[in-house]
Amino acid sequence: MPGLTARLDSRESAFFQRECEYVKTRTYDAKTPQLKGLTLVPQASGIPLGTSEITYRHYAEAGQAKLIANYAKDFPRVDVYGEEQTVKVFDIGASYGYNIKEIRESALTGKRLDQRRATAARNAIERELNALTLVSNKKTGTYGMLDFPGLTESTLPADGDSSSKQWSKKDVDKIIRDINILLSAVIEPTKGVEVPDTLLVPLNVYTSLQSRRLGDTNSSLIKYIQENFPMLKKIDWLNELSTIGAGNTGRVMVGCFDEMHCENQIVNQFEQGDVEQEGMEYKIPCMASTAGTIVYYPGAFAYADGV
């Protein structure tokens, strides 16, 4: 019947309280699927719980020094100019629960409650955190790492087989040239201040680089790239790069993925609330909160579509 409510007796309630605490503790140790965005972008520290907005500032220097004569009074003036940006924090929620019959059966048999439901709630929240870390969201207005405003866009030559930009249809020399184009798009405008140390590609591109051999040797193309670009400390793949490019094409990206250049603004990683009863079920709400990703130096990153 609608609105029917039943309650556990004192023994059953005590059992459920102990079991619920066990389940909550276990979810913090649960193994979750590989969500690379949460490890790629460093997490910002020191953001207080309850924060509703995060403000950050971009600074630029103006002016330069010059040679001066003895007793000179015309010392050139330099200054620093700042631009302020604010992003809002949004909550992410999920829940899991047990009905009274399940709780009573567990108490009667001494079996533990199914902890997989709690793990599923945590995984669902972390998948959403990962998505907001990597890709901008129009609904929330948060920005992602892979399409943050101001990243340098490069255009790679369409000179592969059938005039394609795809690396699977280009020879080794053309792929090396394309990587040089991407790196130069960061290094040259910044006069060498920024030097990318990471190359990110779609998964299908990464497996191709791993499997392609150079001539009759056993050396893979990915190893050849690492040997020819010693500044690249890391070459990795992201599923999200497979369709984020213009026209749902693949995107390749280089950059400096450290806390000086970008940070993931997760205010609350994962939290489980108090048990709530709804009719014949006891529900545990879970939440997290984030403002997406902030890239402090967009000029340290470059990308190209069509690979």
Side-chain angles (χ1 to χ4, degrees):
M1 294 176 59
L4 180 64
T5 300
R7 295 189 178 277
L8 303 172
D9 63 28
S10 58
R11 180 186 66 85
E12 293 165 338
S13 181
F15 165 81
F16 180 55
Q17 185 175 1
R18 290 193 303 271
E19 279 296 285
C20 191
E21 288 303 315
Y22 167 80
V23 168
K24 285 184 176 183
T25 302
R26 290 287 293 171
T27 59
Y28 285 102
D29 299 328
K31 293 183 179 180
T32 57
Q34 192 174 25
L35 301 173
K36 290 195 165 187
L38 299 180
T39 55
L40 172 69
V41 184
Q43 184 171 335
S45 59
I47 305 176
L49 291 176
T51 298
S52 60
E53 292 183 338
I54 296 174
T55 299
Y56 62 103
R57 296 171 179 86
H58 286 294
Y59 292 100
E61 297 177 356
Q64 63 183 38
K66 72 174 184 178
L67 296 172
I68 59 173
N70 290 338
Y71 307 108
K73 296 181 180 180
D74 58 339
F75 285 74
R77 181 69 177 264
V78 299
D79 211 335
V80 177
Y81 299 91
E83 180 180 314
E84 193 171 88
Q85 301 284 343
T86 299
V87 290
K88 292 186 176 182
V89 176
F90 289 87
D91 295 329
I92 302 168
S95 66
Y96 63 96
Y98 308 95
N99 62 46
I100 287 181
K101 182 180 179 181
E102 291 170 332
I103 296 170
R104 286 176 173 166
E105 286 178 348
S106 294
L108 182 65
T109 60
K111 293 182 179 180
R112 293 203 176 275
L113 293 172
D114 186 359
Q115 187 256 337
R116 288 174 294 184
R117 298 177 187 177
T119 302
R122 173 176 177 158
N123 289 347
I125 286 177
E126 291 197 341
R127 284 194 297 270
E128 189 64 19
L129 284 174
N130 185 73
L132 292 171
T133 297
L134 294 176
V135 182
S136 299
N137 188 294
K138 292 181 179 179
K139 183 177 180 180
T140 62
T142 56
Y143 295 120
M145 181 70 249
L146 304 182
D147 57 356
F148 193 89
L151 303 184
T152 300
E153 180 179 4
S154 295
T155 301
L156 302 180
D159 55 1
D161 295 343
S162 302
S163 300
S164 175
K165 294 182 180 180
Q166 295 179 16
W167 283 1
S168 61
K169 297 183 179 181
K170 292 185 176 182
D171 60 30
V172 174
D173 290 337
K174 289 177 180 176
I175 293 174
I176 296 298
R177 177 210 56 202
D178 286 354
I179 296 174
N180 263 315
I181 290 173
L182 281 165
L183 293 173
S184 297
V186 173
I187 297 172
E188 292 181 4
T190 63
K191 301 186 185 301
V193 172
E194 303 292 356
V195 179
D197 60 9
T198 300
L199 169 66
L200 298 176
V201 298
L203 177 57
N204 66 316
V205 174
Y206 185 85
T207 55
S208 175
L209 295 178
Q210 273 194 320
S211 60
R212 286 179 68 175
R213 293 293 180 262
L214 298 179
D216 296 329
T217 71
N218 289 324
S219 180
S220 67
L221 180 50
I222 198 167
K223 182 178 179 181
Y224 183 77
I225 293 171
Q226 290 170 330
E227 291 173 348
N228 281 268
F229 297 99
M231 75 279 285
L232 291 176
K233 307 301 181 186
K234 181 179 181 180
I235 301 175
D236 206 351
W237 58 268
L238 284 175
N239 279 321
E240 290 77 5
L241 286 170
S242 299
T243 56
I244 198 174
N248 291 324
T249 59
R251 172 170 293 181
V252 61
M253 186 175 188
V254 296
C256 304
F257 295 88
D258 57 51
E259 63 276 3
M260 290 296 296
H261 294 88
C262 57
E263 282 188 322
N264 194 356
Q265 307 297 312
I266 296 178
V267 178
N268 187 12
Q269 187 82 32
F270 178 72
E271 181 180 3
Q272 301 187 74
D274 296 330
V275 177
E276 301 173 355
Q277 184 176 9
E278 292 185 357
M280 300 287 286
E281 183 184 46
Y282 286 84
K283 183 179 73 172
I284 298 92
C286 307
M287 66 169 292
S289 53
T290 182
T293 293
I294 294 176
V295 177
Y296 302 117
Y297 296 97
F301 301 86
Y303 68 90
D305 295 340
V307 296

